Amino acid sequence: MRVRTASGAAGAVFFSLALGFASASPAAAVTYERNNATYHRGEDPRYTSSGWWWQGAGKFGHAGGVGAFQADGDKFWIADTARDGYSVAIRWTNYRNGSPYREGVCVNKHGAGTWAYCGKDFYENSTLWVKTCTYRAKKKKFVECNMLGSEFRVSNGKVV
């Protein structure tokens, strides 16, 4: 009788776990990441390797900063190019199999004339949607984002 009770309890636990995993919603799996970029001492990093995408901040790309993505190493790079009191940020969403599974913001709060980066680890052949924005860091609020944004795939260290 004890064997039957123990195996019945084990079966109930297994069934509950299986049911819990099967009913998990894909929408619930999206995680939001807010990162303060790490200061970079040195030259403009965009020309140090292949596999780059970059975009200016603001509606038309002329509002105080540059955002870039380095596919080899999965790094977002951000330059603050204006003494305007704003930070510069990259707003991003990562899609896998057509559905968003991660999104976030990477913010350069180091001031005008600086480059900074956020290291990420994206699945190969996943898709990124990215916008570069001016950002009010103390209020955690986007001020003005590039109207176009960009969407591209990350594959074997290259932007495709």
Side-chain angles (χ1 to χ4, degrees), residues 36-113:
N36 293 323
T38 303
Y39 177 75
H40 169 74
R41 184 181 315 267
E43 297 178 22
D44 182 338
R46 289 177 292 171
Y47 307 105
T48 60
S49 67
S50 61
W52 283 85
W53 161 92
W54 64 279
Q55 174 185 75
K59 283 184 187 174
F60 303 106
H62 304 290
V66 174
F69 179 73
Q70 179 184 8
D72 185 15
D74 292 351
K75 286 184 181 176
F76 287 117
W77 289 88
I78 305 165
D80 187 337
T81 61
R83 295 187 190 284
D84 56 7
Y86 296 120
S87 297
V88 179
I90 289 181
R91 184 180 199 169
W92 59 272
T93 303
N94 191 209
Y95 295 84
R96 187 164 182 223
N97 301 321
S99 297
Y101 80 101
R102 287 170 70 187
E103 62 184 353
V105 60
C106 173
V107 183
N108 177 353
K109 298 195 293 187
H110 299 285

Side-chain angles (χ1 to χ4, degrees), residues 25-35 92-95 99-105 120-123:
S25 166
V30 177
T31 58
Y32 190 82
E33 303 168 26
R34 183 179 306 277
N35 304 110
W92 59 272
T93 303
N94 191 209
Y95 295 84
S99 297
Y101 80 101
R102 287 170 70 187
E103 62 184 353
V105 60
K120 297 293 175 186
D121 188 14
F122 297 116
Y123 283 103

